[in-house]
Amino acid sequence: MSELFDAVDALIASRSPLPPPAERKRLRQAHGLTLDEVAAALQVRRATVSGWEAGKTEPRPPERDAYARMLKQLAQLYPAVAPVPPADTAIPETPTVPAAPAPSAVEPAQARTTPTGPAAEPANTALRPAAPAAVPRPAVTTRPMSRRPAAKKAVPASTPDPRFENGPLAVVDVADGQVLAYCVGGLVLDVPAKSISALVEWTLREGRLGQPKLSGPGKDADPLAVLTEAACEHYGLPVTLTQQERLAGRLPEGHKVIKQLTRADWQLTKRGFGPWARIYRSAQGSERACVQLCIPSWDALDTRHWANAGQLPPVDLARLLGTYAARVMTPRGSTAVTGLELMTALHPPTRASEPDATGKRHSEHNPGSLGKDPVDCAPCEAPDGHPLLADLPRFHHRTPAEVLVEEAYDWARPLTDAECLRPHLVGIDVNMAFAAGASGLTVGLGAPTHVKNPVFDPKLPGSWLVDLSHVDLSRVKVAKDKWADLDAGLLPSPFTPKGERPTGAAWYATPTVAYAVELGYDVAPVEAYVRHDNGRYLDAWYNRLRDAYLATMADLGVHADLSPAEFLAAMDGYRQRDPQLAIVVSAIKATVKGGIGKLRERPRGEGWKPGQPWRALARPTWRPDIRAAVISRTRINMHRKIVKHAAFTGQYPVAVLSDCAVYASDGPSPLDFLPYRDGKPLPGGFKLGVNPGLVKWEGTQSVLWGEGVREQFNAPELNLARYIKDGTVTDQDTGE
């Protein structure tokens, strides 16, 4: 009889009444309890309690009875002062991820309120929309499950694509033996898949994950599944890779999970099953079958760009990656890979032709794109080891007259006596400098044409062999019919990365040569490789990344319409306002730099030998000429501002590193040396603001600090811009 009583007690406990989700959270917070404390008392995961409070999941025995008991006691201590909504009332809240597909009102399987009876769907098909006039479904809350909902700024979502109603990605985790998929907007789905191959099938068939194409002729983004450590263990994957596997960048071919995928007719790309694995089947017509996996514990999310994103709880990681996906694109790999893929997504190589006589359409070149076939670079644009240079002697060192060297600034000089009397060194940094360099830039789209003794055309992209040693920075044109006398010894040359004045003919990209003409000097190229097929290929890429950056900075409280003083105040501590969005900002910046760098990707092992082709050369987006043009324009943009500032104020930088310049100043703020008149900046000079191309404060150190580290390391021209942010200099930094 006691067994029957125990069974009855268990049955009653399985239906212990619970207050609605909002009241559960209120009661916990009223008593000062954290999610971790409640989870520890009930012996469940923190995410499980968070799910109960968000109404995404319901507790099950034996935890349900204990949870109900706790809430009942808290309710006696802290009675509600206002009516709370009943448990089956939806709590509307705008999803926090802008432009991402919003979760549908279809009840997720894990809510465990699927109606019983003939009209009820099986649990593994709960994602499918119910038929009209079927059994009424309880509304599902879309309240985000983050720990800090009040700190997030709600942004209206666009009309969702019903194919991707659950967003572009999901973070797959295992809680209490149950596999859950955390999507954007706080939605949590049950995942019935027992294996990786089944997970791929579920993602494609029932997950409703993905992202609409970014361009008319393009393709929809494949769904992304991010596997936590618990999910890796559940699906038979190692939590971390061995040293050998890390060096190879993948699991060995004989791993049981790879065999499992092969048996299920799934394939892997050439990079294998690594931190960013792509699993696919051959497309059937226009129907793609491809899923990408991201495994943070295998270092998929580089800490240099994603900080601690890989250690975030699933709900927070879904929010972070979902924001990036909505504003940039669904990650396709590292930020560098994603930056390059974004170029292709915005300018697909092919499009559908007009119907022929039979009404059939064909694939044709998409104007304005780089096409689907790679083109050879010019010999001067080829990096060392390229097949075009196979005939050079083994240890031949190419001179500036043989190779195009367009790189970012790394220049510094000793301080003058007057500068040593000033107390501060202030660094200013150009926002999204390389993105600004790409804006409006005309680049080559096709193969180069070799010409002898050409007439320079600033509108024609290419590489030019020309002598610019006659350009004298002591007298330059700063405006139409207006010249300025400068101290050339205090300025870097605009034509070389180290700021040295050129000594003879050298190869330059079009923006560099055009700047010599802008400064008021004639040029006479000896030869050139020009590209008559050209266009503003990077404009759409720049616009999307700019908008992503500005929108995220605005969410962090830094807006484009702030005054200089307001901007500096807003930038102070902006990362602490929402650390997750701050990571998104870093990832967006890395997408810019990495995408430009990928245009000239070098060999990555794989048994490569100099003179042999490497894998990246087979891409249409392997374009060292485009990379050179962007870097050239970025460096010229910096020099133009330096010249304008020097001509107006008589102040010269003491160090320049890429997009950061350091000036000696009487005060610690950029406002102490940047010229503003009635709130307006110097035309063509440095301007404080959040927009790409404007500058922000990078850091301030004392002049004594600068002279001290140079003396300490016996390096009179140590580049102080590298250390101006926090003042830390190590022996390793200086090569000692």
Side-chain angles (χ1 to χ4, degrees):
M1 185 65 69
S2 62
E3 294 180 355
L4 294 177
F5 288 166
D6 290 342
V8 170
D9 291 343
L11 181 63
I12 297 301
S14 69
R15 296 294 185 271
S16 296
L18 294 172
E23 178 68 358
R24 302 171 197 175
K25 184 175 182 179
R26 185 193 72 81
L27 292 172
R28 174 181 61 79
Q29 292 178 337
H31 201 61
L33 298 175
T34 66
L35 288 172
D36 290 323
E37 290 173 332
V38 175
L42 299 177
Q43 298 182 357
V44 296
R45 289 164 54 93
R46 182 185 187 283
T48 302
V49 180
S50 178
W52 296 345
E53 291 187 356
K56 298 302 180 183
T57 58
E58 288 295 310
R60 293 178 293 176
E63 293 85 6
R64 184 183 180 101
D65 188 35
Y67 188 48
R69 181 184 180 88
M70 180 193 76
L71 294 175
K72 182 178 180 181
Q73 293 179 9
L74 291 176
Q76 294 173 352
L77 294 173
Y78 309 100
V81 295
V84 296
D88 61 348
T89 300
I91 306 174
E93 180 170 317
T94 306
T96 59
V97 180
S104 73
V106 179
E107 181 190 356
Q110 79 286 352
R112 309 206 183 284
T113 53
T114 305
T116 58
E121 290 186 328
N124 63 352
T125 60
L127 287 171
R128 299 170 188 165
V135 177
R137 297 168 295 161
V140 176
T141 175
T142 59
R143 182 179 297 278
M145 296 169 59
S146 171
R147 294 165 295 183
R148 298 178 301 276
K152 301 188 181 92
K153 185 177 180 179
V155 182
S158 61
T159 303
D161 187 320
R163 298 171 300 158
F164 312 127
E165 61 185 354
N166 294 329
L169 55 88
V171 178
V172 181
D173 190 33
V174 180
D176 303 328
Q178 180 184 8
V179 184
L180 301 174
Y182 293 80
C183 307
V184 298
L187 179 67
V188 183
L189 307 175
D190 262 334
V191 181
K194 304 298 183 183
S195 65
I196 284 292
S197 58
L199 175 64
V200 174
E201 293 277 5
W202 176 87
T203 303
L204 289 170
R205 305 288 176 248
E206 300 180 58
R208 296 186 183 273
L209 298 171
Q211 190 174 36
K213 58 189 177 182
L214 299 179
S215 176
K219 299 175 182 177
D220 296 327
D222 298 320
L224 173 65
V226 184
L227 304 184
T228 65
E229 293 184 10
C232 286
E233 290 180 339
H234 181 82
Y235 287 119
L237 294 169
V239 172
T240 58
L241 297 179
T242 65
Q243 179 69 18
Q244 184 177 0
E245 290 167 347
R246 280 200 301 270
L247 291 174
R250 65 183 72 191
L251 292 178
E253 293 298 324
H255 193 277
K256 61 181 181 180
V257 171
I258 297 179
K259 292 181 178 179
Q260 172 198 110
L261 290 169
T262 302
R263 287 194 300 269
D265 296 326
W266 290 107
Q267 302 178 58
L268 292 164
T269 58
K270 290 183 179 180
R271 62 183 173 184
F273 203 119
W276 291 92
R278 295 188 67 77
I279 304 172
Y280 71 98
R281 286 184 182 136
S282 298
Q284 302 296 323
S286 61
E287 193 71 24
R288 288 171 55 82
C290 183
V291 171
Q292 176 143 334
L293 301 183
C294 168
I295 306 179
S297 62
W298 294 7
D299 299 326
L301 300 175
D302 192 328
T303 55
R304 293 173 299 175
H305 314 313
W306 294 102
N308 67 335
Q311 283 74 51
L312 290 175
V315 65
D316 292 333
L317 182 56
R319 179 207 176 211
L320 188 156
L321 293 178
T323 302
Y324 179 88
R327 293 178 175 175
V328 180
M329 69 179 298
T330 304
R332 293 289 303 271
S334 66
T335 50
V337 169
T338 303
L340 198 67
E341 291 289 340
L342 180 61
M343 297 180 194
T344 303
L346 294 168
H347 283 289
T350 60
R351 68 178 184 181
S353 68
E354 293 296 326
D356 59 16
T358 64
K360 187 176 181 180
R361 297 179 183 269
H362 305 274
S363 177
E364 65 177 14
H365 173 71
N366 184 27
S369 75
L370 298 181
K372 63 179 182 179
D373 299 316
V375 297
D376 286 335
C377 62
C380 63
E381 298 163 351
D384 292 340
H386 192 279
L388 288 175
L389 310 176
D391 294 335
L392 290 178
R394 183 176 180 185
F395 295 106
H396 176 74
H397 178 71
R398 292 191 290 169
T399 66
E402 297 175 288
V403 59
L404 175 70
V405 182
E406 292 285 11
E407 300 294 343
Y409 265 131
D410 186 356
W411 169 87
R413 62 169 176 81
L415 274 67
T416 65
D417 292 343
E419 290 167 340
C420 287
L421 296 177
R422 289 176 175 159
H424 302 286
L425 294 173
V426 182
I428 52 176
D429 181 80
V430 180
N431 297 314
M432 300 272 284
F434 292 98
S439 175
L441 178 64
T442 301
V443 299
L445 302 177
T449 299
H450 186 220
V451 292
K452 290 283 190 178
N453 299 315
V455 175
F456 176 68
D457 183 354
K459 297 181 180 179
L460 188 60
S463 301
W464 309 78
L465 181 61
V466 58
D467 186 354
L468 299 180
S469 60
H470 64 289
V471 177
D472 184 6
L473 294 181
S474 63
R475 184 166 175 76
V476 297
K477 183 185 290 187
V478 293
K480 185 178 180 181
D481 301 326
K482 183 178 181 180
W483 291 72
D485 294 323
L486 304 174
D487 188 339
L490 302 181
L491 286 171
S493 168
F495 309 127
T496 60
K498 292 294 184 180
E500 302 165 344
R501 186 169 179 170
T503 58
W507 286 98
Y508 303 101
T510 296
T512 302
V513 185
Y515 186 58
V517 176
E518 179 184 326
L519 292 176
Y521 293 86
D522 295 330
V523 296
V526 178
E527 61 178 306
Y529 288 90
V530 297
R531 289 171 169 82
H532 297 287
D533 180 13
N534 55 65
R536 292 167 59 161
Y537 173 72
L538 295 174
D539 271 9
W541 182 81
Y542 162 76
N543 289 336
R544 185 159 182 88
L545 289 166
R546 175 204 61 198
D547 292 347
Y549 174 73
L550 292 179
T552 311
M553 290 299 290
D555 287 345
L556 288 166
V558 185
H559 300 274
D561 57 353
L562 299 176
S563 69
E566 291 172 336
F567 169 71
L568 291 175
M571 288 293 292
D572 185 19
Y574 78 94
R575 290 183 173 275
Q576 282 67 51
R577 293 175 198 143
D578 191 325
Q580 293 172 29
L581 284 183
I583 295 175
V584 175
V585 171
S586 297
I588 293 170
K589 292 179 179 179
T591 303
V592 173
K593 290 187 176 181
I596 297 299
K598 272 282 185 180
L599 291 168
R600 198 192 67 168
E601 183 178 352
R602 304 301 297 274
R604 303 178 64 184
E606 301 176 342
W608 174 82
K609 295 180 180 179
Q612 295 179 348
W614 57 92
R615 191 194 307 176
L617 299 186
R619 292 195 318 247
T621 48
W622 192 84
R623 293 297 299 272
D625 57 299
I626 297 180
R627 172 188 179 274
V630 173
I631 295 177
S632 164
R633 193 160 186 248
T634 303
R635 192 182 67 246
I636 295 306
N637 285 346
M638 173 66 87
H639 196 274
R640 184 182 292 111
K641 289 180 171 62
I642 290 171
V643 166
K644 296 278 189 182
H645 185 85
F648 187 80
T649 67
Q651 298 172 335
Y652 297 83
V654 300
V656 183
L657 181 69
S658 187
D659 47 9
C660 176
V662 176
Y663 282 84
S665 171
D666 292 326
S669 168
L671 289 176
D672 292 317
F673 73 93
L674 292 182
Y676 274 85
R677 183 177 296 169
D678 297 328
K680 296 181 179 179
L682 171 68
F686 295 110
K687 177 183 178 181
L688 290 166
V690 71
N691 281 294
L694 305 188
V695 300
K696 64 178 182 296
W697 176 63
E698 180 68 4
T700 297
Q701 304 296 331
S702 69
V703 168
L704 291 177
W705 163 86
E707 292 297 274
V709 296
R710 284 179 166 178
E711 182 178 349
Q712 176 185 352
F713 294 104
N714 193 26
E717 294 187 0
L718 182 70
N719 196 326
L720 300 176
R722 182 173 279 108
Y723 318 107
I724 194 70
K725 191 164 190 174
D726 60 11
T728 303
V729 186
T730 65
D731 291 347
Q732 184 177 2
D733 293 331
T734 60
E736 294 292 325

